[in-house]
Amino acid sequence: MGIRINVAVTDASGTLMAFLRMPGAFLHSIDIAIDKAYTAASFGFPTSQWGGVIGDDELLRIGLNQRARLVLFGGGLPVVEGDERIGGIGVSGGSAEQDEVCAAAGLAALGLA
């Protein structure tokens, strides 16, 4: 894809378990990747689905945007093994769509997709 990414993996509680930064990846994307993994682990669905969850509820959108560490755009996926959510993976450095593709590729490499 020609992008440089930061990748974070959390356990089911959202605690950071692993992190990798490609050389030259955006520095601000470090925390974004960690927070995407945290959000996906804590809610159990992809961060890209927040738009559908919020819908037209403007007060909910405003309120959720005030929550620290909550990411409402793509790039975070829950890590599920069997029927159990065991963590989250967050990627940041490309577009939200590119980040989600990279996160899915990471899960696939582990046989979890």
Side-chain angles (χ1 to χ4, degrees):
M1 293 178 135
I3 58 175
R4 297 180 197 117
I5 58 173
N6 294 286
V7 181
V9 178
T10 68
D11 64 13
S13 73
T15 301
L16 185 64
M17 301 301 291
F19 180 83
L20 179 65
R21 178 177 177 265
M22 292 176 69
F26 298 122
L27 294 177
H28 282 286
S29 290
I30 292 170
D31 289 335
I32 295 170
I34 293 168
D35 290 348
K36 286 179 181 184
Y38 175 83
T39 301
S42 62
F43 284 95
F45 58 85
T47 57
S48 62
Q49 290 184 3
W50 274 105
V53 170
I54 295 168
D56 294 329
D57 189 334
E58 188 61 24
L59 290 177
L60 183 58
R61 180 179 310 280
I62 291 168
L64 287 175
N65 274 322
Q66 300 299 315
R67 299 298 310 159
R69 301 196 64 193
L70 183 66
V71 176
L72 305 179
F73 48 88
L77 297 174
V79 179
V80 178
E81 186 172 37
D83 292 332
E84 183 178 356
R85 183 170 16 108
I86 61 171
I89 182 170
V91 175
S92 184
S95 68
E97 294 80 14
Q98 290 171 320
D99 292 348
E100 188 161 323
V101 167
C102 292
L107 293 179
L110 296 172
L112 296 172

Coordinates of all heavy atoms in Angstrom, one line a residue, residues 17-60:
M17 N -0.6 -4.8 24.8 CA 0.2 -6.0 24.9 C 1.3 -6.0 23.9 O 2.4 -6.7 24.2 CB -0.7 -7.3 24.7 CG -1.8 -7.4 25.7 SD -1.3 -7.5 27.4 CE -0.5 -9.1 27.4
A18 N 1.2 -5.4 22.8 CA 2.2 -5.4 21.8 C 2.0 -4.1 20.9 O 0.9 -3.6 20.8 CB 2.1 -6.6 20.8
F19 N 3.2 -3.6 20.4 CA 3.2 -2.4 19.6 C 4.3 -2.5 18.6 O 5.4 -2.9 19.0 CB 3.3 -1.1 20.5 CG 3.3 0.1 19.6 CD1 2.1 0.7 19.2 CD2 4.4 0.7 19.2 CE1 2.0 1.8 18.4 CE2 4.4 1.9 18.4 CZ 3.2 2.4 18.0
L20 N 4.1 -2.0 17.4 CA 5.1 -2.0 16.4 C 4.9 -0.7 15.6 O 3.8 -0.4 15.1 CB 5.1 -3.2 15.5 CG 6.1 -3.2 14.3 CD1 7.5 -3.3 14.9 CD2 5.8 -4.4 13.4
R21 N 6.0 0.0 15.4 CA 6.0 1.3 14.6 C 6.9 1.1 13.4 O 8.1 0.8 13.6 CB 6.4 2.5 15.4 CG 6.4 3.8 14.6 CD 6.8 5.0 15.5 NE 6.9 6.2 14.7 CZ 8.0 6.6 14.2 NH1 9.2 6.0 14.5 NH2 8.0 7.7 13.5
M22 N 6.4 1.2 12.2 CA 7.3 1.2 11.0 C 8.1 2.4 11.0 O 7.6 3.5 11.4 CB 6.4 1.1 9.8 CG 5.7 -0.2 9.6 SD 4.6 -0.3 8.1 CE 5.8 -0.3 6.8
P23 N 9.4 2.3 10.6 CA 10.2 3.5 10.4 C 9.5 4.6 9.6 O 9.0 4.3 8.5 CB 11.5 3.0 9.8 CG 11.5 1.6 10.1 CD 10.1 1.1 10.2
G24 N 9.4 5.8 10.1 CA 8.8 6.9 9.4 C 7.3 7.0 9.5 O 6.7 7.9 9.0
A25 N 6.7 6.1 10.3 CA 5.2 6.3 10.5 C 5.0 7.5 11.4 O 5.8 7.9 12.2 CB 4.7 5.0 11.3
F26 N 3.8 8.1 11.1 CA 3.5 9.4 11.8 C 3.5 9.2 13.3 O 3.0 8.2 13.9 CB 2.0 9.8 11.4 CG 1.9 10.1 10.0 CD1 0.9 9.4 9.2 CD2 2.6 11.1 9.4 CE1 0.7 9.7 7.9 CE2 2.5 11.4 8.0 CZ 1.5 10.7 7.3
L27 N 4.1 10.1 14.0 CA 4.2 10.1 15.5 C 2.9 10.2 16.2 O 2.6 9.5 17.1 CB 5.2 11.1 16.0 CG 6.6 11.0 15.6 CD1 7.4 12.2 16.1 CD2 7.2 9.7 16.1
H28 N 2.0 11.0 15.6 CA 0.7 11.2 16.3 C -0.2 9.9 16.1 O -1.1 9.7 16.9 CB -0.1 12.3 15.7 CG 0.4 13.7 16.2 ND1 0.0 14.1 17.5 CD2 1.1 14.6 15.7 CE1 0.6 15.3 17.7 NE2 1.2 15.6 16.6
S29 N 0.2 9.1 15.1 CA -0.6 7.8 14.9 C -0.3 6.8 16.0 O -1.0 5.8 16.0 CB -0.2 7.3 13.5 OG -0.8 8.1 12.5
I30 N 0.8 7.0 16.7 CA 1.1 6.0 17.8 C -0.1 5.9 18.8 O -0.7 4.8 19.0 CB 2.4 6.4 18.6 CG1 3.6 6.3 17.7 CG2 2.5 5.5 19.8 CD1 4.9 6.9 18.2
D31 N -0.5 7.0 19.3 CA -1.6 7.0 20.3 C -2.9 6.6 19.6 O -3.8 6.0 20.2 CB -1.7 8.3 21.0 CG -0.6 8.6 22.0 OD1 -0.1 7.6 22.5 OD2 -0.3 9.7 22.3
I32 N -3.1 7.0 18.4 CA -4.3 6.7 17.6 C -4.5 5.2 17.5 O -5.5 4.6 17.7 CB -4.4 7.4 16.3 CG1 -4.5 8.9 16.5 CG2 -5.6 6.9 15.5 CD1 -4.3 9.8 15.2
A33 N -3.4 4.5 17.1 CA -3.4 3.1 16.9 C -3.7 2.4 18.3 O -4.5 1.4 18.3 CB -2.1 2.5 16.4
I34 N -3.1 2.8 19.3 CA -3.4 2.3 20.7 C -4.8 2.5 21.0 O -5.5 1.5 21.5 CB -2.4 2.9 21.7 CG1 -1.0 2.4 21.4 CG2 -2.8 2.5 23.1 CD1 0.1 3.2 22.2
D35 N -5.4 3.6 20.8 CA -6.8 3.9 21.2 C -7.8 3.2 20.3 O -8.8 2.8 20.7 CB -7.0 5.4 21.1 CG -6.3 6.2 22.3 OD1 -5.8 5.5 23.2 OD2 -6.3 7.4 22.2
K36 N -7.4 2.9 19.0 CA -8.3 2.1 18.1 C -8.4 0.7 18.7 O -9.5 0.1 18.8 CB -7.8 2.1 16.7 CG -8.0 3.4 15.9 CD -7.4 3.3 14.5 CE -7.6 4.5 13.7 NZ -7.2 4.4 12.3
A37 N -7.2 0.1 19.1 CA -7.2 -1.2 19.6 C -8.0 -1.3 20.9 O -8.8 -2.2 21.2 CB -5.8 -1.7 19.9
Y38 N -7.9 -0.3 21.8 CA -8.6 -0.1 23.0 C -10.1 -0.1 22.8 O -10.9 -0.8 23.5 CB -8.1 1.1 23.8 CG -8.8 1.4 25.0 CD1 -8.5 0.8 26.2 CD2 -9.8 2.4 25.1 CE1 -9.1 1.2 27.4 CE2 -10.4 2.8 26.2 CZ -10.1 2.1 27.4 OH -10.8 2.5 28.6
T39 N -10.5 0.8 21.8 CA -11.9 0.9 21.5 C -12.5 -0.4 21.0 O -13.6 -0.8 21.4 CB -12.1 2.0 20.5 OG1 -11.6 3.3 21.1 CG2 -13.6 2.2 20.2
A40 N -11.8 -1.0 20.1 CA -12.3 -2.3 19.5 C -12.4 -3.4 20.6 O -13.4 -4.2 20.6 CB -11.5 -2.7 18.3
A41 N -11.4 -3.5 21.4 CA -11.4 -4.5 22.5 C -12.6 -4.2 23.5 O -13.3 -5.1 23.9 CB -10.1 -4.5 23.2
S42 N -12.8 -3.0 23.8 CA -13.8 -2.6 24.9 C -15.2 -2.7 24.4 O -16.1 -3.1 25.2 CB -13.5 -1.3 25.5 OG -13.6 -0.3 24.5
F43 N -15.5 -2.5 23.1 CA -16.8 -2.6 22.6 C -17.1 -3.9 21.8 O -18.3 -4.2 21.6 CB -17.2 -1.3 21.7 CG -17.4 -0.1 22.6 CD1 -16.4 0.8 22.9 CD2 -18.7 0.1 23.1 CE1 -16.7 1.9 23.6 CE2 -18.9 1.2 23.9 CZ -17.9 2.1 24.2
G44 N -16.1 -4.5 21.3 CA -16.3 -5.8 20.6 C -16.7 -5.7 19.1 O -17.2 -6.6 18.6
F45 N -16.6 -4.5 18.5 CA -16.9 -4.4 17.1 C -15.9 -3.4 16.5 O -15.3 -2.6 17.2 CB -18.4 -3.9 16.9 CG -18.8 -2.6 17.5 CD1 -18.6 -1.4 16.9 CD2 -19.4 -2.6 18.7 CE1 -18.9 -0.2 17.4 CE2 -19.9 -1.4 19.3 CZ -19.6 -0.2 18.7
P46 N -15.8 -3.5 15.1 CA -14.8 -2.6 14.4 C -15.1 -1.1 14.7 O -16.3 -0.7 14.7 CB -15.0 -3.0 13.0 CG -15.6 -4.3 13.0 CD -16.5 -4.4 14.2
T47 N -14.1 -0.3 14.8 CA -14.3 1.1 15.1 C -15.0 1.8 13.9 O -15.6 2.8 14.0 CB -12.9 1.8 15.4 OG1 -12.0 1.5 14.3 CG2 -12.3 1.3 16.7
S48 N -14.9 1.2 12.7 CA -15.5 1.7 11.5 C -17.0 1.6 11.6 O -17.7 2.3 10.8 CB -15.0 1.0 10.2 OG -15.4 -0.4 10.3
Q49 N -17.6 0.9 12.5 CA -19.0 0.7 12.6 C -19.7 1.8 13.5 O -20.9 1.8 13.6 CB -19.4 -0.7 13.2 CG -19.1 -1.8 12.2 CD -19.5 -3.1 12.7 OE1 -20.1 -3.3 13.8 NE2 -19.2 -4.1 11.9
W50 N -18.9 2.7 14.1 CA -19.5 3.7 15.0 C -20.5 4.6 14.3 O -21.5 5.0 14.8 CB -18.4 4.5 15.7 CG -17.9 3.9 16.9 CD1 -16.7 3.2 17.1 CD2 -18.6 3.7 18.1 NE1 -16.7 2.7 18.3 CE2 -17.8 3.0 19.0 CE3 -19.9 4.2 18.6 CZ2 -18.2 2.7 20.3 CZ3 -20.3 3.9 19.9 CH2 -19.4 3.2 20.7
G51 N -20.2 4.9 13.0 CA -21.1 5.8 12.3 C -22.5 5.2 12.2 O -23.5 5.9 12.4
G52 N -22.6 3.9 12.0 CA -23.9 3.2 12.0 C -24.6 3.1 13.4 O -25.8 3.2 13.6
V53 N -23.7 3.0 14.4 CA -24.2 3.0 15.8 C -24.8 4.3 16.2 O -25.9 4.4 16.8 CB -23.1 2.5 16.8 CG1 -23.5 2.7 18.2 CG2 -22.6 1.1 16.5
I54 N -24.1 5.4 15.8 CA -24.5 6.7 16.2 C -25.7 7.2 15.4 O -26.6 7.8 15.9 CB -23.3 7.7 16.1 CG1 -22.2 7.3 17.1 CG2 -23.8 9.1 16.3 CD1 -20.9 8.1 16.8
G55 N -25.7 6.8 14.1 CA -26.8 7.2 13.2 C -26.9 8.8 13.2 O -25.9 9.5 13.0
D56 N -28.1 9.2 13.3 CA -28.4 10.7 13.3 C -28.5 11.3 14.6 O -28.9 12.4 14.8 CB -29.8 10.9 12.6 CG -29.7 10.5 11.1 OD1 -28.7 10.6 10.5 OD2 -30.8 10.1 10.6
D57 N -28.0 10.6 15.6 CA -28.1 11.1 17.0 C -26.9 12.1 17.3 O -25.9 11.7 17.7 CB -28.1 9.9 18.0 CG -28.3 10.4 19.4 OD1 -28.1 11.6 19.8 OD2 -28.8 9.5 20.2
E58 N -27.2 13.3 17.0 CA -26.1 14.3 17.1 C -25.6 14.5 18.5 O -24.4 14.7 18.7 CB -26.6 15.7 16.6 CG -25.5 16.7 16.4 CD -24.4 16.4 15.5 OE1 -24.6 15.6 14.6 OE2 -23.3 16.9 15.7
L59 N -26.5 14.4 19.5 CA -26.0 14.5 20.9 C -25.1 13.4 21.3 O -24.1 13.5 22.0 CB -27.2 14.6 21.9 CG -28.0 15.9 21.8 CD1 -29.2 15.8 22.7 CD2 -27.1 17.1 22.1
L60 N -25.4 12.2 20.8 CA -24.6 11.0 21.0 C -23.2 11.2 20.4 O -22.2 11.0 21.0 CB -25.2 9.7 20.5 CG -24.5 8.4 20.8 CD1 -24.2 8.2 22.3 CD2 -25.2 7.3 20.2

